Amino acid sequence: MTQVDFPVNPPPNENQAPTLLNTHSSHPTAWKVRDYFTFNTDHKVIGIQYLVTAFVFYLIGGLMAIAIRTELATPDSDFIDPNLYNAFMTNHGTIMIFLWIVPSAIGGFGNYLVPLMMGARDMAFPKLNAIAFWLNPVAGLLLLLSFFFGGSQSGWTAYPPLSLVTANNAQSLWILSIVLVGTSSILGSINFVITILMMKVPSMKWEQVPLFCWAILATSILALLSTPVLAAGLILLLFDINFGTSFFKPDAGGNVVIYQHLFWFYSHPAVYLMILPIFGIMSEIIPTHARKPIFGYKAIAFSTVAICVVGLFVWVHHMFTSGTPGWMRMFFTISTLIVAVPTGVKIFGWVATLWGGKIRFTSAMLFAIGLLSMFVMGGLSGVTMGTAPFDVHVHDTYYVVGHFHYVLFGGSVFGIYAGIYHWFPKITGRMMNETWGRIHFILTFIGTNLTFLPMHKLGLQGMPRRVAMYDPQFASLNQLCTIGAILLGISVIPFALNAIYSWQKGEIAGDNPWESLTLEWTTSSPPIIENWEVLPVVTHGPYDYGHDKSSVTEPVS
């Protein structure tokens, strides 16, 4: 995207300490391992803190998932206590959404990349940025602490009246945890909006802004509009549990459906909070590794904004069985189907970019292509559930579980993996091992389909979700799902070992191993403290591959 008026590898500046573990370049080391456990205001350090912390919670949530699937391998409740099963089921979903996907996709990649992509030296409010991160580990500890009081057992939706009568101390800690995560999200979103709108390098035109930054901007606006609504609902629920109020107590005049509206007004847009940054990652990886300009830059950018707007008007499709009147069912069926249109624009744009490209089947590209197939599968089942007559029949069955795992695991988690493989050289200055990356992809791809594809049939046959005991006729498909879940657990091992080994001893990457055109690749790997010694000058678009011979490389296997 850029042509800069300084050397790609500038000489060291004695008055400026460069960044992280850059032991293989001319820059001396600045950040030590201990610095990542401190209140550091460098956006790159905060991005890595988000990614590593979120991955730790991913492992915790994954262990809960394996315990759940092990219990479901047989029809009887014979592996873990039913109350512990309920707690695992509740907190697995909570951790994966609020402490893994959202913090890593927005907080991790967003913090690390947005200032670099926009030509800024840091985020607009560095101290606020650090505060936003440190709320997350505190929230995670509160969530884990709830297990000393029996664990929240109401499901990740925390619907009253169930959430009012089960493990009240644990439920209160759960609520406080989610409110802290929401506060972190609000603070981070304010920072992203100001940074993107006010701090891009002067030479960058809006039609030259990377699509990842468009995605983060739309995501942040969506979070600012929807997160306070969830926080309000949870605080009212906390008052009902602890202070004798009756906002949601049916026997005291409260209305449980109001809580559902407050919850889903945030929690369906939360799907877009998780997937829009991943869409941005896809829009960076695919043109880079296909060596082609992105197809339909403006259409993809505007479709991101369209998803942000329409996504605020679809929440009631989660409530088609909650006494929703017919006119409301019809309105939200239509709005749910409409939101699929801008998503389809993105998918067609990515496929058109791949068509005829000089594709390099790197680990990042494999996960990006895998995401395409997974998200299309999840999208198709989502369209079916967006229609009220069908949704009424599959509501609260395993069809729903299969659908949202294809969207969120096959979509978001595949995208996070793709982003890590793509930007790992920039973050560490070293390459990840591609052989182990491909093994990781194969295990993850097979495990995902083996785990979640049979769930659609289970749901159509009538197996309810959230229960540990079920009719023996569902046993064989559940055993298949359990085998897939174990394979998914195993797939994390080559990834983790690859990341740890490559960070220390991987092949030195150079500043731009992918020959990418976005701004982050014009500085050193890892970047120096303030990203550049002299700010870059933007001279062409972020995806102008093939416009000159120097930007074209032959595909590698």
Side-chain angles (χ1 to χ4, degrees), residues 497-515:
L497 294 178
N498 190 4
I500 293 169
Y501 179 84
S502 298
W503 197 313
Q504 299 298 320
K505 298 183 179 180
E507 177 188 350
I508 294 175
D511 293 337
N512 190 3
W514 310 128
E515 298 185 64

Side-chain angles (χ1 to χ4, degrees), residues 124-450:
F125 308 111
K127 290 183 179 179
L128 191 69
N129 202 19
I131 292 171
F133 163 71
W134 282 104
L135 290 176
N136 279 269
V138 174
L141 290 175
L142 282 177
L143 194 72
L144 297 178
L145 183 63
S146 71
F147 278 88
F148 289 97
F149 299 93
S152 171
Q153 300 180 31
S154 60
W156 81 280
T157 57
Y159 276 4
L162 181 61
S163 56
L164 297 173
V165 297
T166 57
N168 285 350
N169 289 332
Q171 192 69 52
S172 297
L173 289 171
W174 183 93
I175 292 171
L176 292 173
S177 172
I178 304 308
V179 170
L180 282 179
V181 172
T183 305
S184 170
S185 179
I186 292 171
L187 298 180
S189 297
I190 293 171
N191 222 344
F192 282 124
V193 170
I194 300 301
T195 300
I196 293 171
L197 294 181
M198 306 299 295
M199 296 184 65
K200 68 181 179 66
V201 69
S203 57
M204 180 184 288
K205 301 175 182 178
W206 279 106
E207 61 268 24
Q208 296 172 319
V209 171
L211 289 167
F212 178 78
C213 296
W214 279 106
I216 292 294
L217 178 62
T219 303
S220 300
I221 293 171
L222 193 59
L224 289 174
L225 293 173
S226 61
T227 306
V229 177
L230 173 67
L234 290 177
I235 290 171
L236 295 179
L237 181 63
L238 186 70
F239 275 50
D240 276 8
I241 293 173
N242 295 283
F243 303 115
T245 56
S246 56
F247 297 105
F248 308 125
K249 292 178 179 178
D251 56 349
N255 191 328
V256 296
V257 176
I258 293 296
Y259 174 85
Q260 295 183 30
H261 281 286
L262 295 174
F263 180 86
W264 287 114
F265 185 81
Y266 165 84
S267 295
H268 190 83
V271 174
Y272 306 120
L273 300 185
M274 290 181 273
I275 204 65
L276 280 176
I278 302 304
F279 285 168
I281 290 172
M282 291 281 285
S283 296
E284 303 301 328
I285 291 174
I286 288 178
T288 298
H289 294 268
R291 312 310 299 167
K292 273 188 63 181
I294 191 79
F295 183 90
Y297 168 90
K298 290 184 178 180
I300 293 176
F302 293 155
S303 68
T304 300
V305 178
I307 290 173
C308 173
V309 174
V310 181
L312 288 169
F313 299 95
V314 301
W315 79 91
V316 175
H317 72 231
H318 293 276
M319 301 168 55
F320 283 156
T321 60
S322 299
T324 306
W327 68 266
M328 190 176 287
R329 285 183 177 182
M330 182 173 294
F331 175 85
F332 282 94
T333 292
I334 294 170
S335 64
T336 300
L337 298 180
I338 288 175
V339 81
V341 175
T343 305
V345 169
K346 293 180 181 295
I347 291 172
F348 282 115
W350 297 330
V351 172
T353 304
L354 289 170
W355 186 267
K358 297 180 179 180
I359 299 175
R360 303 182 292 191
F361 289 102
T362 60
S363 299
M365 190 61 151
L366 288 173
F367 273 101
I369 294 172
L371 185 153
L372 267 175
S373 64
M374 299 288 182
F375 195 82
V376 168
M377 175 68 180
L380 290 174
S381 60
V383 168
T384 63
M385 290 196 306
T387 56
F390 185 86
D391 181 78
V392 168
H393 289 284
V394 300
H395 188 80
D396 270 342
T397 71
Y398 262 82
Y399 188 92
V400 180
V401 181
H403 155 70
F404 69 67
H405 278 90
Y406 263 94
V407 171
L408 297 183
F409 193 96
S412 294
V413 177
F414 269 60
I416 291 170
Y417 281 143
I420 291 173
Y421 281 107
H422 181 70
W423 280 291
F424 189 88
K426 177 54 57 180
I427 295 171
T428 68
R430 297 182 181 271
M431 302 294 293
M432 292 189 76
N433 184 283
E434 285 294 324
T435 300
W436 283 106
R438 292 185 178 97
I439 293 172
H440 173 218
F441 169 74
I442 292 169
L443 291 175
T444 307
F445 188 84
I446 295 173
T448 301
N449 285 287
L450 198 60

Side-chain angles (χ1 to χ4, degrees), residues 20-137:
L20 162 71
L21 298 178
N22 199 7
T23 57
H24 54 271
S25 75
S26 59
H27 298 300
T29 300
W31 303 124
K32 307 294 185 182
V33 171
R34 63 177 179 270
D35 294 315
Y36 289 82
F37 298 90
T38 64
F39 190 87
N40 195 309
T41 58
D42 187 328
H43 73 95
K44 299 179 292 298
V45 173
I46 293 171
I48 294 171
Q49 288 175 324
Y50 267 111
L51 286 171
V52 173
T53 304
F55 187 76
V56 170
F57 283 109
Y58 174 52
L59 296 179
I60 295 172
L63 290 173
M64 292 182 183
I66 292 175
I68 292 169
R69 285 307 328 167
T70 303
E71 173 61 68
L72 292 172
T74 60
D76 298 322
S77 180
D78 52 10
F79 179 67
I80 55 178
D81 177 78
N83 290 328
L84 184 59
Y85 175 89
N86 290 339
F88 278 178
M89 182 269 299
T90 297
N91 289 281
H92 161 71
T94 304
I95 288 171
M96 291 306 200
I97 292 171
F98 293 104
L99 293 171
W100 160 233
I101 297 177
V102 171
S104 57
I106 305 175
F109 288 109
N111 271 293
Y112 197 95
L113 295 172
V114 164
L116 287 168
M117 287 183 165
M118 301 298 291
R121 297 199 181 277
D122 208 322
M123 296 287 285
F125 308 111
K127 290 183 179 179
L128 191 69
N129 202 19
I131 292 171
F133 163 71
W134 282 104
L135 290 176
N136 279 269

